[in-house]
Amino acid sequence: MLYHVRMDVRLPPDLDPAERADLITREKAYSQKLQRAGKWPQLWRIAGEYANFSILDVADHDELHTLLSGLPLFPYMDIAVTPLAAHPSKVGAGS
Amino acid sequence: MLYHVRMDVRLPPDLDPAERADLITREKAYSQKLQRAGKWPQLWRIAGEYANFSILDVADHDELHTLLSGLPLFPYMDIAVTPLAAHPSKVGAGS
Amino acid sequence: MLYHVRMDVRLPPDLDPAERADLITREKAYSQKLQRAGKWPQLWRIAGEYANFSILDVADHDELHTLLSGLPLFPYMDIAVTPLAAHPSKVGAGS
Amino acid sequence: MLYHVRMDVRLPPDLDPAERADLITREKAYSQKLQRAGKWPQLWRIAGEYANFSILDVADHDELHTLLSGLPLFPYMDIAVTPLAAHPSKVGAGS
Amino acid sequence: MLYHVRMDVRLPPDLDPAERADLITREKAYSQKLQRAGKWPQLWRIAGEYANFSILDVADHDELHTLLSGLPLFPYMDIAVTPLAAHPSKVGAGS
Amino acid sequence: MLYHVRMDVRLPPDLDPAERADLITREKAYSQKLQRAGKWPQLWRIAGEYANFSILDVADHDELHTLLSGLPLFPYMDIAVTPLAAHPSKVGAGS
Amino acid sequence: MLYHVRMDVRLPPDLDPAERADLITREKAYSQKLQRAGKWPQLWRIAGEYANFSILDVADHDELHTLLSGLPLFPYMDIAVTPLAAHPSKVGAGS
Amino acid sequence: MLYHVRMDVRLPPDLDPAERADLITREKAYSQKLQRAGKWPQLWRIAGEYANFSILDVADHDELHTLLSGLPLFPYMDIAVTPLAAHPSKVGAGS
Amino acid sequence: MLYHVRMDVRLPPDLDPAERADLITREKAYSQKLQRAGKWPQLWRIAGEYANFSILDVADHDELHTLLSGLPLFPYMDIAVTPLAAHPSKVGAGS
Amino acid sequence: MLYHVRMDVRLPPDLDPAERADLITREKAYSQKLQRAGKWPQLWRIAGEYANFSILDVADHDELHTLLSGLPLFPYMDIAVTPLAAHPSKVGAGS
C-alpha cells in the first residue's frame, strides 16, 4: 500500500559536527536499504528546504510506523503521513 | 522538471448534475491526455478527500501553469505547487 | 487495518428540509450497514459540534476511500484520515 | 464518560538516554495500569509520529485531568481533549 | 460538570428579517430557560463580536450535546467545547 | 469590568525542581490573594493541559496588565485577554 | 479606556449597488459622529485592504460593544478587539 | 517606494461569462497603464494559482491604496502588502 | 508616513538578570529618544502580554527598518509592520 | 527560470558574536557572488523583520536547491519557494 510522507528535518545548528555527519550517513544508508527493498520507491528534495516528499510502499500501517520511527533522524523530524488510494482518472486504473 | 502538486476540489453541492458530470468527464479526458504524453506521471487520490497528489513533469513554470490553469475543474480547485529537486540519498542519484 | 477519521458536516442552513431529512436518513442507513458489517467499529459525536470521530476497519486505502466517498453527506463534509498503528504500551500488544 | 485525547510527545533529542529510558518505562507502566483498570480502553499510535490517539473512560473532568497530568511524560506532551457524546447513528444507541 | 463553550454566530446578512427576528427571539427564550434551570450559569458577550463565552453545568457530555444542538441558532454557529476541571490554586478547592 | 483570560504555562521540563516548586508556591499565593480581594472571581483548569481559563474583575486595562504581568509564572506564560460585555440574553440583564 | 480594533469588511461583490452605497454612506456618518464625540480618536485604512485599524476611547466594554455592534457594516465585518494599557516606556507616562 | 504585493483572485465560478470577460479586460488595461507609467515594475503569475506577486513603486501608502483599491478585480481579491527596504547585501547598495 | 507595528518580546526566562535589566533600560531610552523626535507618536502595551502596538511616523521604509532593527530588543522580538493610508471616513480627511 | 523566495533568519540571540559576524560576512559575499552572476537579480529587506524577499533566476530546481542550501545562514533560515510564471497582463508578454 502507498503512503505519501512529508519529512521536515530540524537539526539544531549547534549539533556536534561529527554527530551530525554520523546521523546523515546512517540516514542515507537506512533510506537506501529501504529503496533497494522496494519499500521507498520515490524520494524528492523539496527545493530550498531541508525536507522531502516520499512515497512508501509497505504492507500496512504498522510496517510504515516501524520503518519511519527507525529513521536515524526521526527524533529531529516532523512527519506527516497521507494514505493514497487509486485515482479514477489514472490511466491504466480501469479507465 | 518535476513539480509536486496538491489539488483540492470544491464543487458546490448544488451544482447542476449534468454540468457536474460534464466537468468530470472533461477533467478525466484532459488528465489522461497529459498522462499519456508523459507530463503527468503520478496521480493519487488522497484517501477520504476530494483531492489528489500529483507529480507533473514539464519543461518549465510556464508550461506547468498553462497545463494547470487549463484543467476543466481549475475554477473549483485550490492548488499548491512545490518544485522538486534531486535528493542526495536517492539510489541512483550519484550515491 | 484501522483508520481514525474526523468528519465535519457543513449542511447549508437553507437546504430544503425534505432534502435534508432524506440525506440524514440515508446517511444513517449507510453508516449502520457498515457498522453491522464490522467496517465502522467506533462512532462518536464530538460534543457541541455537527461532527464525529470514527474508527474504520477496512482492507486498505482503496476500500476506505470507496466507503467514505460513498457517504450520502460526503459532498457536505470535511474529512481527515489518520492511519493507526499498534501502540507499544497497549496491553496485549506484546507487552 | 468518554474523552478523545490526542497526545504529542516532544522529547528533546539530547535528553540523557538513561532518563529517557526511565521515563518511557514509567509511562508504559502507568498507562497499562490504567488500561487494566478499564480507564484507558483505546490506545493507538499515529502512524509516523511520536503521538497517540486515546479514548479515556473516567468519572468526570477532574479524574481525567488527574490521570493525564500524572503521566510521566506529561511535561513533554501537547495534549488535546475532546468530550465524546453518543452518536445518533450508532448501532445499538436507540436506533 | 462544567464546560467552557465559545459560540460564534454566522447569520447570513441577507437572511429574511422576520426569520432572523424569530430565530433570535427563540434563541433568547431557549437560553433563559436553561439559565433559570441552573444549566447555563455564565453567559458573556465577547466585546465587538457576534459571539459569546458560556459556562454550562450539566450531567454529562450527552446532556451537553443535546442542549447545544437544540439551540435555535445551532445551524448558524461554530461551537468549541472545553471541559473544565478544578484548579489547585482556587480558593476553597482544598487549598 | 470583566476580562476573560486564557493562560498557558510553558515551564521548561529541565527547570531546577526547587525553583519550580518555589514558582508554583508563589503563583498560588499571588492568585489566592487576588481571589480573596474579589479581583479573580473564576479560575478553572483546562482538562488535560497546563492551562487555565480565568475571569478577572478589575477597574480597567491598566490594573489588568499590572496584575497579570506580576504573576510569578508570567515569564513562562502565553496569555490571551478578551474583554467581556453584558449579553442581551442573560437573565437579569434587563431582559 | 482605549481599545485597539481591527475591522475587516466582507461586502459580497454582488450586493445591490444602491444598498451598498447606502450602507457606506450610513457607515461614514455613524463613524464621524463618534469621531466628533471623541470616542473614535484614530482611524486608519490598512493599505491595500478593505479594512481599518481604529482606536476607540469609551467608558467600558459594554459601551464598546454597543458602538461596534451598531455599525451599519457590522453584519459584514470581522472585528478583533484588543484592550490597551499604558506602556512603561511612553514619554509622559511617569517615566 | 517599493511595496511587495500578493493578490489572490476569487472569482465565483458561476459569474456571468460576459461580466467575467469584461472584468478581466478592464483589469489588464488598468494594470498595463500602471506598468507603462512605471508604477508597477514587476508582475508574476504564481504557478498553478489564480494569483500574482507584484512590485509596486509609488510615492506613498496613500497612492498605493488608491491604485490597489481601484483595480477592477479588487472586490474579488485578497491582497497582502509588504513594505520593502534596501537590503545591506544588495550589490550596489553601498556595499 | 505612518506605519502600524506590533512587537512581541520573547525574552528567555533564564536570561541573566543584569543583562535583562540593561536591555530594558537601553530599550526605553532608545524608544523615548524616538518619541521625543516625533518618530514614534503612539505606543501602547497590549494588556496581559509582553507586546505593544505602535505607530511610527518616518520618511520611508528604509528609515523604518533602520529604526526597528536598531532596537536593543530587536533580536528578541517578532515584529509585524502594516502601512497605513488615510481613511475616507476620517473627520478632517476631506470629508 | 524565476523563483520567488522568502527567507526568514532565526539567529539565536546568544550566538557567539564572532561566529555571528563571520556568518553574516560570508552570507554577504555568497549572495553578492550570485548577484554578480545574474542568478539573484532581486533582493529586498522585509521592513521591520530579519527576512528578505528574493527573486532567483537559475536553470532548474536542482540549481535552485544547490544555491539555497549552500547559504552560510541556511541552517538558521526558514525558506519558502514559489515558482513564477509569465503573467498574461505583463506589458511585453505578448499583450
Side-chain angles (χ1 to χ4, degrees):
Chain A
M1 281 195 318
L2 298 181
Y3 298 80
H4 179 279
V5 183
R6 178 180 170 131
M7 308 180 202
D8 286 87
V9 186
R10 321 277 188 204
L11 282 180
D14 60 353
L15 190 65
D16 174 71
E19 185 179 345
R20 182 189 189 93
D22 176 60
L23 271 168
I24 292 175
T25 301
R26 289 192 290 121
E27 180 81 7
K28 185 173 184 172
Y30 185 96
S31 167
Q32 295 200 331
K33 186 176 167 188
L34 291 174
Q35 290 178 59
R36 292 201 177 89
K39 293 180 185 297
W40 194 333
Q42 302 281 2
L43 169 60
W44 300 284
R45 173 65 78 216
I46 296 176
E49 303 187 39
Y50 195 174
N52 71 70
F53 281 127
S54 290
I55 305 294
L56 272 81
D57 186 355
V58 293
D60 55 23
H61 304 343
D62 286 337
E63 185 180 8
L64 180 77
H65 187 71
T66 301
L67 296 189
L68 292 176
S69 60
L71 288 163
L73 286 174
F74 183 75
Y76 302 97
M77 278 178 170
D78 288 336
I79 291 184
V81 169
T82 311
L84 298 175
H87 195 286
S89 295
K90 183 79 167 106
V91 170
S95 61
Chain B
M1 284 196 316
L2 298 181
Y3 298 81
H4 179 279
V5 183
R6 178 180 172 132
M7 307 181 204
D8 287 86
V9 186
R10 323 276 188 203
L11 281 181
D14 60 353
L15 190 66
D16 173 70
E19 186 180 346
R20 183 188 187 94
D22 176 60
L23 271 169
I24 292 175
T25 300
R26 289 192 291 125
E27 179 82 6
K28 185 172 183 171
Y30 184 97
S31 167
Q32 295 199 331
K33 186 175 167 190
L34 291 174
Q35 291 178 59
R36 291 199 178 94
K39 292 179 185 299
W40 194 331
Q42 303 281 1
L43 170 60
W44 302 284
R45 171 66 77 216
I46 296 176
E49 304 186 41
Y50 195 173
N52 71 68
F53 280 127
S54 291
I55 304 295
L56 273 82
D57 187 356
V58 293
D60 56 24
H61 304 343
D62 286 337
E63 185 181 7
L64 179 77
H65 187 71
T66 301
L67 295 188
L68 292 176
S69 60
L71 288 163
L73 287 173
F74 184 75
Y76 301 96
M77 280 178 168
D78 288 336
I79 292 184
V81 169
T82 311
L84 298 174
H87 195 287
S89 295
K90 184 77 168 105
V91 170
S95 62
Chain C
M1 283 196 314
L2 298 180
Y3 298 80
H4 179 280
V5 183
R6 177 179 173 132
M7 307 181 204
D8 287 87
V9 186
R10 321 275 187 205
L11 281 181
D14 61 353
L15 190 65
D16 173 71
E19 186 179 347
R20 183 189 187 92
D22 176 61
L23 270 169
I24 292 175
T25 301
R26 289 192 291 123
E27 180 82 7
K28 186 173 183 171
Y30 184 97
S31 168
Q32 295 200 331
K33 185 175 168 189
L34 291 175
Q35 291 178 57
R36 292 200 178 90
K39 292 180 185 297
W40 194 332
Q42 303 281 1
L43 170 61
W44 301 284
R45 173 66 76 217
I46 296 177
E49 303 187 40
Y50 195 173
N52 71 68
F53 281 127
S54 291
I55 305 294
L56 273 83
D57 186 355
V58 293
D60 56 22
H61 305 342
D62 286 336
E63 185 181 8
L64 179 77
H65 187 72
T66 300
L67 296 188
L68 292 176
S69 60
L71 288 163
L73 286 174
F74 183 75
Y76 302 96
M77 279 177 168
D78 288 335
I79 292 184
V81 169
T82 311
L84 298 174
H87 194 285
S89 295
K90 184 79 169 103
V91 169
S95 63
Chain D
M1 281 196 317
L2 298 181
Y3 298 80
H4 179 280
V5 183
R6 178 179 171 131
M7 307 181 202
D8 287 87
V9 186
R10 321 275 187 206
L11 282 181
D14 61 353
L15 191 65
D16 173 70
E19 185 180 347
R20 181 188 188 94
D22 176 61
L23 270 169
I24 292 175
T25 301
R26 289 192 291 123
E27 179 82 7
K28 185 173 184 172
Y30 184 97
S31 167
Q32 295 200 331
K33 186 176 169 189
L34 291 174
Q35 291 178 58
R36 292 202 178 89
K39 293 181 186 296
W40 194 333
Q42 303 281 2
L43 170 60
W44 301 283
R45 173 65 78 215
I46 296 176
E49 302 187 41
Y50 195 174
N52 71 68
F53 281 127
S54 291
I55 305 294
L56 272 83
D57 186 358
V58 294
D60 56 23
H61 304 342
D62 285 336
E63 185 181 8
L64 180 76
H65 187 71
T66 301
L67 296 189
L68 291 176
S69 60
L71 288 163
L73 286 174
F74 183 76
Y76 301 97
M77 278 178 170
D78 289 336
I79 291 184
V81 170
T82 312
L84 297 174
H87 195 287
S89 295
K90 185 77 169 104
V91 169
S95 62
Chain E
M1 282 197 315
L2 298 181
Y3 297 80
H4 179 280
V5 183
R6 179 181 171 131
M7 308 181 204
D8 287 85
V9 186
R10 320 277 187 204
L11 281 180
D14 60 353
L15 191 64
D16 173 72
E19 185 180 346
R20 182 188 187 95
D22 176 61
L23 270 169
I24 292 175
T25 301
R26 290 192 289 124
E27 180 82 6
K28 185 172 184 172
Y30 184 97
S31 168
Q32 295 199 332
K33 186 175 168 190
L34 291 174
Q35 290 178 59
R36 293 199 178 90
K39 292 180 185 298
W40 194 332
Q42 303 281 2
L43 170 61
W44 302 284
R45 173 65 77 215
I46 296 176
E49 304 187 39
Y50 195 173
N52 71 69
F53 281 127
S54 291
I55 305 294
L56 273 81
D57 186 355
V58 294
D60 55 23
H61 305 342
D62 286 337
E63 185 181 8
L64 179 77
H65 188 72
T66 300
L67 296 188
L68 292 176
S69 60
L71 288 163
L73 286 174
F74 184 75
Y76 302 95
M77 278 178 169
D78 288 336
I79 292 184
V81 170
T82 311
L84 298 174
H87 194 286
S89 295
K90 185 79 169 97
V91 169
S95 62
Chain F
M1 283 196 315
L2 298 182
Y3 297 82
H4 178 280
V5 183
R6 178 180 172 132
M7 307 180 203
D8 287 86
V9 186
R10 322 275 187 204
L11 281 180
D14 61 353
L15 190 65
D16 173 70
E19 185 180 346
R20 181 188 189 94
D22 176 60
L23 270 169
I24 292 175
T25 300
R26 289 191 291 124
E27 180 82 7
K28 185 173 183 171
Y30 185 98
S31 167
Q32 295 200 330
K33 186 175 168 190
L34 291 175
Q35 291 177 58
R36 293 200 178 90
K39 293 180 185 297
W40 194 333
Q42 303 281 2
L43 170 60
W44 301 284
R45 173 64 78 216
I46 296 176
E49 302 187 41
Y50 195 173
N52 70 68
F53 281 127
S54 291
I55 305 294
L56 273 82
D57 186 357
V58 294
D60 56 24
H61 305 342
D62 285 336
E63 185 182 8
L64 179 76
H65 187 72
T66 300
L67 296 189
L68 292 176
S69 62
L71 288 163
L73 286 174
F74 184 76
Y76 302 96
M77 281 178 167
D78 288 336
I79 291 184
V81 170
T82 312
L84 298 174
H87 195 287
S89 296
K90 184 77 169 107
V91 170
S95 63
Chain G
M1 281 195 318
L2 298 182
Y3 298 81
H4 179 280
V5 184
R6 179 180 171 133
M7 309 180 201
D8 287 86
V9 186
R10 321 276 188 205
L11 281 181
D14 60 353
L15 191 64
D16 174 71
E19 186 180 345
R20 183 190 188 93
D22 175 61
L23 271 168
I24 292 176
T25 300
R26 289 192 290 125
E27 181 81 7
K28 185 172 184 173
Y30 184 97
S31 168
Q32 295 199 332
K33 186 175 168 190
L34 292 173
Q35 291 178 58
R36 292 200 179 91
K39 293 180 184 297
W40 193 333
Q42 302 281 1
L43 169 61
W44 301 283
R45 172 67 77 215
I46 296 177
E49 303 187 41
Y50 194 173
N52 71 69
F53 281 127
S54 291
I55 305 295
L56 273 82
D57 186 356
V58 294
D60 55 23
H61 305 342
D62 286 337
E63 185 182 8
L64 179 76
H65 187 71
T66 300
L67 295 189
L68 292 176
S69 61
L71 287 163
L73 286 174
F74 183 74
Y76 302 96
M77 278 178 169
D78 289 336
I79 291 184
V81 170
T82 310
L84 297 175
H87 195 287
S89 295
K90 185 78 168 104
V91 169
S95 62
Chain H
M1 282 195 316
L2 298 182
Y3 298 81
H4 179 280
V5 183
R6 178 180 172 133
M7 308 181 202
D8 287 86
V9 186
R10 322 277 188 203
L11 281 180
D14 60 354
L15 190 64
D16 174 70
E19 186 179 346
R20 183 190 187 92
D22 176 61
L23 271 168
I24 292 175
T25 300
R26 289 192 291 123
E27 180 82 7
K28 186 171 183 172
Y30 184 97
S31 167
Q32 295 200 331
K33 186 175 167 190
L34 291 174
Q35 291 178 58
R36 291 200 178 92
K39 292 179 185 297
W40 195 330
Q42 302 281 1
L43 169 61
W44 301 283
R45 171 67 76 215
I46 296 177
E49 303 187 40
Y50 195 174
N52 70 69
F53 280 127
S54 291
I55 305 295
L56 273 80
D57 187 356
V58 293
D60 54 24
H61 304 343
D62 287 336
E63 185 181 8
L64 180 77
H65 187 71
T66 300
L67 296 189
L68 292 176
S69 61
L71 287 163
L73 286 174
F74 183 75
Y76 302 96
M77 278 178 169
D78 289 336
I79 292 185
V81 170
T82 311
L84 298 174
H87 194 287
S89 296
K90 185 77 168 103
V91 169
S95 62
Chain I
M1 283 196 314
L2 298 181
Y3 298 81
H4 179 280
V5 183
R6 177 179 172 133
M7 308 182 202
D8 287 86
V9 185
R10 324 274 188 204
L11 280 181
D14 60 352
L15 190 66
D16 173 70
E19 185 180 346
R20 181 189 187 93
D22 176 61
L23 270 169
I24 292 175
T25 301
R26 289 192 290 124
E27 180 82 7
K28 184 172 184 172
Y30 185 97
S31 167
Q32 295 199 330
K33 186 175 168 191
L34 291 174
Q35 291 178 58
R36 292 200 177 90
K39 293 180 184 297
W40 193 334
Q42 302 282 1
L43 169 60
W44 302 284
R45 172 66 75 217
I46 296 176
E49 303 187 42
Y50 195 173
N52 71 69
F53 281 126
S54 292
I55 306 293
L56 273 81
D57 186 356
V58 293
D60 55 24
H61 305 342
D62 285 336
E63 185 181 8
L64 180 77
H65 187 71
T66 300
L67 296 189
L68 292 176
S69 61
L71 287 163
L73 286 173
F74 183 76
Y76 300 96
M77 280 178 168
D78 289 335
I79 292 184
V81 170
T82 311
L84 298 173
H87 195 286
S89 296
K90 185 78 169 103
V91 169
S95 60
Chain J
M1 282 196 317
L2 297 181
Y3 298 80
H4 178 280
V5 183
R6 179 179 171 133
M7 309 181 202
D8 286 87
V9 185
R10 323 276 189 203
L11 280 181
D14 61 353
L15 190 66
D16 174 71
E19 185 180 346
R20 183 189 188 93
D22 175 61
L23 270 168
I24 292 175
T25 301
R26 289 192 289 123
E27 180 81 7
K28 185 172 184 172
Y30 185 96
S31 168
Q32 295 199 332
K33 186 176 167 190
L34 291 174
Q35 291 178 59
R36 292 200 178 91
K39 292 179 185 296
W40 194 333
Q42 303 281 1
L43 169 61
W44 301 284
R45 172 66 77 215
I46 296 176
E49 304 187 40
Y50 195 173
N52 71 69
F53 281 126
S54 291
I55 305 293
L56 273 81
D57 186 356
V58 293
D60 55 23
H61 304 344
D62 286 337
E63 185 181 7
L64 180 77
H65 187 71
T66 300
L67 295 189
L68 292 176
S69 61
L71 287 162
L73 286 173
F74 184 76
Y76 301 96
M77 279 178 169
D78 289 336
I79 291 184
V81 170
T82 311
L84 298 174
H87 195 287
S89 296
K90 184 78 168 103
V91 169
S95 61

